[in-house]
Amino acid sequence: METPSPQPDLARNRLPTLFEVLSRRTLPPVDLFSFYIYMRDQQRSVDYLDFWLDVAQHMSLCRHYVRELRRSVMIGTPDLDRVSSKRSSMILETMGDLEPRIAGPSMLATEKEKNQDAQLSNFLREDTHDSPHSGYAPMRPSPQFSNSHDITTDSNSPGHTVARSDIKASAEKILYTFLLPGAEREITLPGSITEDVTRAIEDEGRDDPEVFDVAKDYVFQAMERDAFPGFLRMKALGNLIPPTLVLRLIIGLLAIFGAFWAGFVLIFLDKSRVTRCWVILPFTIGVYFLASYQYSLDPIIALLGYSEYTPFNFSRIREPYIRTLLAKRALMVLAVTVLVDAALCILFILVPGKRL
């Protein structure tokens, strides 16, 4: 039994929340892939998102492992090598069905979900202590967990039988990759949180999901406070990324400079108004690109239903509310562009010429 694929909420008439993005309930340009690209290229803090995804994968492994054991106990054929004591078997029997769900921050969990998670962690702790192989020696995680998540999938549930050693290796991989001082992809957490997680895994031999709860909640709140508002501004209110915006600013300024230069030259050479109509081209290009820079939005591309996720690479806007919001903003930006462009062109075309 696998975690069901999250279904996007097509009726959502608002901006999505961070948890909805992380749980894959949104569509481009506010989906998890777009958020990953944003965290990598703009925030330069993708390690925090990778930590969250790895912890979510670890939670999924634990639930899958316990669900398999509970099913074997309930049908009366427990795997004695995996259910190592009567007490563990009793916990499994009294534990309710582990309903498939997406791992999330503890502050958003219901009481039922919190109780289930507590029972799950309690069983894994008992299972560790009762196991004949519970003698613990910290070891580096196996290579199979070097990339434990795939942001393009719809489910974190593994498609194979989960062994107890897989859970331990997953917990160690998270510790050694993100939390220990000098780790390959160390993230900044309060010292007390890091020390508690390290002690729980290395000294107490724990690998249950509760080990990472405090760190996971801290990372979620940090992303929600520091990264997610900027992501929504970029993807829900615009369709361009910073490198492209800088390029548009340069092109816009050059075009405007060229338009003013050509306009004044044609006026002071007393050229005809028909000839001066050529200034429409540079003025239009300049105003359009500067408006795109100002609003972080290319109105024509937005009306066509596309959003940029890497330089000059576009994806179709599939989130209904975002598509409607960007279309309205695109019409507003086009109106501003036309008004400013028309004013400048009329001024430089109709003003009387005077040869110097």
Side-chain angles (χ1 to χ4, degrees):
M1 180 179 181
E2 295 186 356
T3 303
S5 298
Q7 296 299 316
D9 182 7
L10 299 180
R12 179 173 41 237
N13 194 32
R14 56 170 175 77
L15 295 176
T17 64
L18 175 58
F19 179 59
E20 288 172 332
V21 173
L22 294 176
S23 57
R24 302 176 176 89
R25 295 190 182 120
T26 55
L27 295 171
V30 289
D31 59 329
L32 179 57
F33 176 75
S34 299
F35 186 56
Y36 193 94
I37 296 296
Y38 173 80
M39 292 289 287
R40 184 193 68 187
D41 296 344
Q42 310 307 324
Q43 289 291 115
R44 299 287 193 267
S45 55
V46 74
D47 291 343
Y48 288 87
L49 180 55
D50 276 329
F51 170 79
W52 168 273
L53 295 174
D54 277 2
V55 171
Q57 173 70 9
H58 179 73
M59 177 69 172
S60 179
L61 283 173
C62 294
R63 296 177 71 85
H64 192 85
Y65 171 78
V66 173
R67 192 161 53 236
E68 286 183 332
L69 287 185
R70 185 176 185 276
R71 185 160 53 243
S72 69
V73 169
M74 296 303 290
I75 64 176
T77 57
D79 185 342
L80 297 179
D81 291 333
R82 297 172 73 189
V83 183
S84 51
S85 74
K86 291 184 177 180
R87 177 174 173 80
S88 295
S89 297
M90 290 178 60
I91 295 176
L92 284 175
E93 291 173 358
T94 57
M95 188 183 301
D97 289 334
L98 290 175
E99 299 175 359
R101 65 182 179 87
I102 304 297
S106 59
M107 74 280 292
L108 298 181
T110 64
E111 284 301 318
K112 181 180 179 180
E113 291 171 343
K114 290 179 180 178
N115 290 336
Q116 258 192 2
D117 291 345
Q119 287 180 317
L120 175 68
S121 293
N122 185 40
F123 168 76
L124 290 174
R125 287 194 295 270
E126 289 288 339
D127 189 48
T128 299
H129 295 153
D130 294 336
S131 172
H133 305 290
S134 59
Y136 185 78
M139 60 181 181
R140 293 288 171 179
S142 60
Q144 73 185 86
F145 285 95
S146 61
N147 291 293
S148 62
H149 60 79
D150 181 353
I151 64 171
T152 63
T153 61
D154 292 328
S155 173
N156 278 332
S157 289
H160 56 83
T161 299
V162 177
R164 193 67 174 85
S165 58
D166 292 336
I167 297 177
K168 182 174 293 187
S170 174
E172 292 171 347
K173 180 255 183 181
I174 295 172
L175 174 66
Y176 293 130
T177 303
F178 298 103
L179 300 180
L180 289 182
E184 176 187 357
R185 303 176 63 187
E186 182 182 2
I187 61 176
T188 303
L189 296 177
S192 58
I193 295 178
T194 303
E195 291 170 3
D196 289 344
V197 175
T198 303
R199 181 170 60 253
I201 295 177
E202 292 195 328
D203 297 340
E204 301 172 16
R206 289 177 57 186
D207 53 18
D208 55 280
E210 282 186 356
V211 169
F212 300 106
D213 273 356
V214 177
K216 179 183 67 173
D217 291 347
Y218 181 90
V219 168
F220 180 88
Q221 292 171 352
M223 291 193 297
E224 189 175 45
R225 180 185 64 248
D226 300 332
F228 194 62
F231 172 71
L232 287 182
R233 280 194 301 270
M234 178 180 295
K235 295 299 183 180
L237 301 179
N239 66 344
L240 299 174
I241 61 175
T244 305
L245 290 176
V246 173
L247 179 61
R248 285 172 178 263
L249 174 63
I250 294 173
I251 294 175
L253 290 175
L254 290 175
I256 284 292
F257 173 80
F260 276 108
W261 177 82
F264 281 115
V265 167
L266 292 175
I267 289 173
F268 292 128
L269 290 178
D270 197 16
K271 297 294 182 179
S272 67
R273 289 184 172 88
V274 174
T275 303
R276 279 190 257 165
C277 285
W278 282 103
V279 299
I280 294 176
L281 181 60
F283 270 129
T284 301
I285 294 175
V287 172
Y288 185 86
F289 275 77
L290 290 179
S292 297
Y293 170 80
Q294 178 64 30
Y295 293 98
S296 301
L297 178 72
D298 186 304
I300 294 178
I301 294 177
L303 291 173
L304 291 175
Y306 287 92
S307 179
E308 188 177 34
Y309 61 95
T310 57
F312 307 109
N313 290 309
F314 296 86
S315 62
R316 181 166 287 279
I317 302 171
R318 297 174 55 203
E319 184 78 16
Y321 180 75
I322 302 300
R323 186 167 57 241
T324 302
L325 182 61
L326 286 179
K328 292 178 180 178
R329 284 179 57 83
L331 292 175
M332 182 269 292
V333 173
L334 274 180
V336 171
T337 301
V338 170
L339 288 175
V340 174
D341 185 36
L344 290 172
C345 290
I346 290 173
L347 176 64
F348 278 85
I349 291 173
L350 297 184
V351 67
K354 180 178 178 60
R355 189 174 186 86
L356 296 180

